[in-house]
Amino acid sequence: MSKTWIITTEKYLNATEIAKLRKVIEKAKLYAKSRGRQRGVRDHAIIELALGTGLRVSEISELKVEDLTLKREASLIVRNGKGGKMREVRFSSRLKDIIKEHLDYRDSNSEYVFYTGHSDKMSVSALQQVFKKYAREAGLSEKYSIHACRHSYAVSLFAASGYNLKLLQRQMGQRVDNYEFCVPLGPE
């Protein structure tokens, strides 16, 4: 028996909430760059990656620089997704520029895209803390975790693709025929 996942409006960020979050992380990035610091640039890339690819937080943690293709058509490889599956995820040129900026600005030779001063890669809990910090600053509900970015991506891709379940399944790395989207189908 397959479980049905119901994506309701309480599980994803709406356009206004995303705009507030983006405003806060953009400000943090600019402040960090003005001070010659990396954290705000990194945090900006983390949240934009989560919003722009729908990766699971564990997949963000495990993402390596070698898994990125930042050419004309930007994409990344998830090598060990849920169930040990590998998949390619394409993303926008805007996100490509944000990731390039992060990679150019960092001062580590870590094989992982995201790292801390204490570790070669960021843990899932460290990524969650980054999201919570900026969500709080943006005035978003405490109920949201970084996983809300995955749901937000799924909802926007589903609508933008003309409700193409196969595309959604490929990008998200899981079966979506057992998903039920209880979301508005028109503009917000």
Side-chain angles (χ1 to χ4, degrees):
M1 180 175 164
S2 71
K3 186 173 181 180
T4 298
W5 295 95
I6 300 174
I7 305 299
T8 63
T9 55
E10 297 84 38
K11 292 184 180 179
Y12 69 94
L13 303 167
N14 65 39
T16 302
E17 292 167 323
I18 291 171
K20 286 179 182 179
L21 183 59
R22 282 189 163 137
K23 184 177 180 180
V24 166
I25 61 173
E26 181 70 26
K27 183 178 175 186
K29 177 191 79 168
L30 293 173
Y31 180 79
K33 287 182 85 170
S34 76
R35 300 282 191 253
R37 297 184 184 145
Q38 296 179 48
R39 185 175 291 170
V41 178
R42 179 202 67 190
D43 294 353
H44 179 244
I46 289 168
I47 292 175
E48 288 290 356
L49 182 73
L51 288 169
T53 62
L55 293 182
R56 295 174 181 92
V57 67
S58 61
E59 295 168 344
I60 296 171
S61 175
E62 294 293 328
L63 188 63
K64 294 182 177 180
V65 175
E66 70 183 21
D67 297 333
L68 298 170
T69 300
L70 301 174
K71 306 222 188 280
R72 189 168 182 228
E73 299 239 348
S75 66
L76 59 85
I77 299 293
V78 174
R79 297 197 181 274
N80 195 18
K82 196 169 187 176
K85 295 179 185 172
M86 188 164 95
R87 74 182 188 280
E88 179 183 21
V89 177
R90 294 179 184 211
F91 53 88
S92 72
S93 59
R94 177 183 173 277
L95 179 54
K96 175 178 74 173
D97 292 343
I98 291 168
I99 292 170
K100 278 183 173 180
E101 179 180 37
H102 162 64
L103 294 175
D104 290 345
Y105 206 74
R106 69 190 213 145
D107 68 354
S108 170
N109 292 328
S110 172
E111 65 182 320
Y112 293 93
V113 175
F114 302 111
Y115 60 92
T116 68
H118 308 292
S119 177
D120 209 27
K121 75 173 183 174
M122 287 187 79
S123 67
V124 167
S125 63
L127 291 164
Q128 292 280 19
Q129 288 172 6
V130 166
F131 175 83
K132 285 289 192 180
K133 173 187 176 193
Y134 294 105
R136 221 177 3 263
E137 287 180 27
L140 303 183
S141 172
E142 286 287 319
K143 70 182 175 188
Y144 291 126
S145 71
I146 196 168
H147 197 70
C149 295
R150 180 170 168 79
H151 290 297
S152 302
Y153 175 78
V155 168
S156 67
L157 179 63
F158 188 53
S161 69
Y163 309 103
N164 182 336
L165 283 175
K166 287 192 185 276
L167 172 65
L168 187 61
Q169 179 174 332
R170 194 168 48 248
Q171 285 286 103
M172 301 302 288
Q174 71 185 72
R175 293 181 57 105
V176 292
D177 54 349
N178 61 345
Y179 268 56
E180 192 175 312
F181 289 88
C182 298
V183 297
L185 298 179
E188 291 182 43

